[in-house]
Amino acid sequence: MSVSQIEQRIEEINASGRPPVVFVHGLWLLPSSWDRWAAVFEEAGYAPLTPGWPDDPDTVEEANAHPEVFAGKSVGQVAGHFAELIGRLARRPAVIGHSFGGLITQILAGRGLSAVSVAIDPAPFRGVLPLPISSLRSARPVLGNPANYHRAVPLTFEQFRYAFANAVGEEEARDLYRTYAVPAPGEPLFQAAVANLNPWSETRVDSRNPERGPLLLISGEKDHTVPWALTNAAYKKQRRNEAAVTEIVEIPGRGHALTIDSGWREVADTALAFVRRFH
């Protein structure tokens, strides 16, 4: 969405009186990855907003033709971008994020900006300690070269297959790659990799803020990129929040592509059921 389209959409949401829901995508995807989710939530009576990260192209084709536009985006910059957009909504929204979008979702919740939050296979925040081998392998295309810190990095199909589409068949994996995969900034992965060595890391989450609101963490059972160990470690820190509900659920048989693959509706319905309880 262009800046003018986002502004118009925010005006429409505020005028509608419907409870807003903001969707936050992660690395190697665009806002279009949420299109089917937005339709489900709109049908359920919500007003969806699917903004991109700063400078996101509108289409996968444009993104792959101009990968340089993704470079140089940090976790703090993206979190600030979404915080600014949320600040223009008349009501605190539900926020739903996937992967690094799930980390951004928890950062926003920790600032008291969301009414209810769902973090799906979320990238780890500072203090989440496990380092699963599969996560390191998934991040190797970026972290394997320090110069990628300032670059936009695409995934080959084989890398996408391992990191995202390991739980689906070959034909579906190739279709997901063609339909959704785009380059991603390297900086957020480097930030997450050294977060526990940096007390000022932009990946910090205020999990104890009494204004955090209800939070659901969703984990795909077969996720290589953010396996159960990481999501559960985040849950154990988040559940220390005594003022708000914190829950976790594992979706059987699903990988990191669980928000976009053929089983996306099960995940969307799980998120919708949680949001409906509080928003």
Side-chain angles (χ1 to χ4, degrees):
M1 301 174 85
S2 67
V3 174
S4 61
Q5 287 173 322
I6 292 174
E7 291 176 352
Q8 180 180 352
R9 181 59 183 156
I10 290 174
E11 291 179 3
E12 292 171 353
I13 291 171
N14 289 339
S16 74
R18 290 183 165 200
V21 181
V22 175
F23 293 91
V24 190
H25 71 79
L27 299 181
W28 292 295
L29 297 176
L30 289 176
S32 55
S33 63
W34 292 117
D35 285 352
R36 294 176 297 183
W37 285 62
V40 168
F41 275 76
E42 187 154 28
E43 185 176 344
Y46 293 93
L49 180 65
T50 58
W53 291 25
D55 304 317
D56 270 359
D58 288 334
T59 67
V60 170
E61 292 75 19
E62 184 182 351
N64 287 318
H66 300 283
E68 67 279 359
V69 301
F70 293 100
K73 306 298 188 298
S74 71
V75 170
Q77 180 184 357
V78 177
H81 171 71
F82 277 88
E84 190 274 331
L85 294 177
I86 288 172
R88 292 157 60 188
L89 293 169
R91 299 171 60 180
R92 282 200 305 173
V95 180
I96 299 174
H98 169 248
S99 195
F100 265 89
L103 168 60
I104 301 297
T105 294
Q106 292 177 87
I107 292 172
L108 297 171
R111 296 178 185 177
L113 298 178
S114 52
V116 55
S117 304
V118 180
I120 304 164
D121 287 341
F125 55 83
R126 174 174 163 78
V128 172
L129 300 178
L131 286 171
I133 292 173
S134 67
S135 296
L136 295 174
R137 181 176 170 185
S138 296
R140 189 182 303 157
V142 175
L143 299 181
N145 183 352
N148 286 335
Y149 188 97
H150 298 292
R151 293 174 176 167
V153 183
L155 295 179
T156 65
F157 170 71
E158 289 72 21
Q159 291 164 342
F160 180 85
R161 180 83 160 113
Y162 182 84
F164 275 80
N166 61 295
V168 301
E170 179 81 8
E171 183 177 349
E172 182 177 357
R174 290 190 179 278
D175 183 60
L176 292 173
Y177 183 70
R178 288 191 299 267
T179 304
Y180 294 107
V182 298
E187 186 171 348
L189 277 166
F190 283 95
Q191 290 180 294
V194 300
N196 292 321
L197 304 175
N198 178 9
W200 300 280
S201 173
E202 292 181 354
T203 70
R204 287 174 297 169
V205 167
D206 184 357
S207 59
R208 294 181 182 266
N209 183 353
E211 300 299 316
R212 188 206 69 187
L215 170 66
L216 173 66
L217 295 110
I218 297 178
S219 177
E221 178 195 12
K222 296 185 177 181
D223 193 326
H224 282 162
T225 300
V226 186
W228 171 261
L230 286 176
T231 304
N232 192 45
Y235 166 71
K236 288 178 178 179
K237 287 193 169 293
Q238 290 282 12
R239 72 180 179 184
R240 297 173 187 171
N241 189 314
E242 299 179 356
V245 170
T246 308
E247 297 179 6
I248 187 170
V249 63
E250 184 178 57
I251 308 292
R254 307 300 296 285
H256 201 62
L258 77 175
T259 57
I260 56 173
D261 65 24
S262 56
W264 69 272
R265 185 61 190 262
E266 178 187 7
V267 190
D269 286 343
T270 300
L272 176 59
F274 186 80
V275 169
R276 273 178 159 161
R277 287 165 54 190
F278 305 102
H279 190 49

